[in-house]
Amino acid sequence: MGMGVDIRNQMAKRAAQEIKSGMIVNLGIGIPSLVANHVSEEIDVLFHAENGVLGMGPSPRKGSEDPTLCNAAGYPVTTVKGASYFDSAIAFGMIRSGYLDMTFLGGLEVSGKGDLANWIVPGKRVPGIGGAMELAQKAKKVVVLMNHTSKDGQPKIVQECTFPLTAKQCVSLIITDMAVIEVTDDGLLLKEVISPHTIQDVLEATGVELLVAETIKTIET
């Protein structure tokens, strides 16, 4: 089933806590695009978009959108002081050269090794893989935001991805509507649980065995 607005924003708010001052960060389509709305004013960050913007700000208020200013998904954005514009070739050059400190991406599946599948459901038409492949391979840290399970209740965190891969062993952190899970050399480590879910709920909804941190933080909604 789909997520409500409050849950999506809760996930984006938690994701924003990963951002540190001085970072250059890319925001993917969907829930990741909400992250800019939850960054503390004390954090000095430049958000990057593949269509050629560096320095995106929060989403504009309804009625104040600039029709010529959007992110890579075509949604209206604002800019911060010091923002710059360039063509998409330069935007991708920045990605491929390793200038991005972090990227937030959506996901269809993440494997126990941190493999990511997020660009196509077999049998369905899509315009192309877009920037996901470069972002997943070249960003210094990859954070995936997605539902913990699919619409029919199947785990999206699995032993091995069944969908075509975007990149192998690229994911550092997974944030879902149920939990926060870190990808480590020893396996997937459950670190936080999002209320009202329990540790047992998360374990049962995950398709791969999880390590459980000694201290589990509960995120209240």
Side-chain angles (χ1 to χ4, degrees), residues 64-87:
S64 61
E65 299 92 342
D66 181 344
T68 66
L69 183 58
C70 65
N71 60 20
Y75 292 106
V77 295
T78 60
T79 54
V80 299
K81 184 177 180 179
S84 58
Y85 307 94
F86 33 84
D87 64 27

Side-chain angles (χ1 to χ4, degrees), residues 188-210:
L188 301 185
L189 177 65
L190 175 60
K191 300 180 68 176
E192 302 172 29
V193 172
I194 299 176
S195 174
H197 303 290
T198 65
I199 295 175
Q200 190 60 35
D201 291 336
V202 175
L203 296 178
E204 292 176 357
T206 306
V208 60
E209 185 176 351
L210 296 178

Side-chain angles (χ1 to χ4, degrees), residues 14 19-20 45 49 65 70 92 104 112 126 138 221:
R14 172 58 186 84
I19 298 173
K20 309 300 180 185
V45 58
E65 299 92 342
C70 65
F92 275 87
F104 294 95
V126 294
K138 294 297 185 178
T221 56

Side-chain angles (χ1 to χ4, degrees), residues 88-140:
S88 59
I90 293 177
F92 275 87
M94 294 170 68
I95 297 170
R96 293 167 183 165
S97 298
Y99 287 112
L100 297 187
D101 296 292
M102 189 182 304
T103 184
F104 294 95
L105 298 173
L108 295 171
E109 290 179 332
V110 176
S111 79
K113 297 178 182 178
D115 301 334
L116 173 64
N118 78 339
W119 76 279
I120 190 172
V121 176
K124 293 189 177 182
R125 296 181 64 184
V126 294
I129 196 169
M133 180 171 61
E134 284 90 347
L135 289 165
Q137 291 182 328
K138 294 297 185 178
K140 296 172 185 174

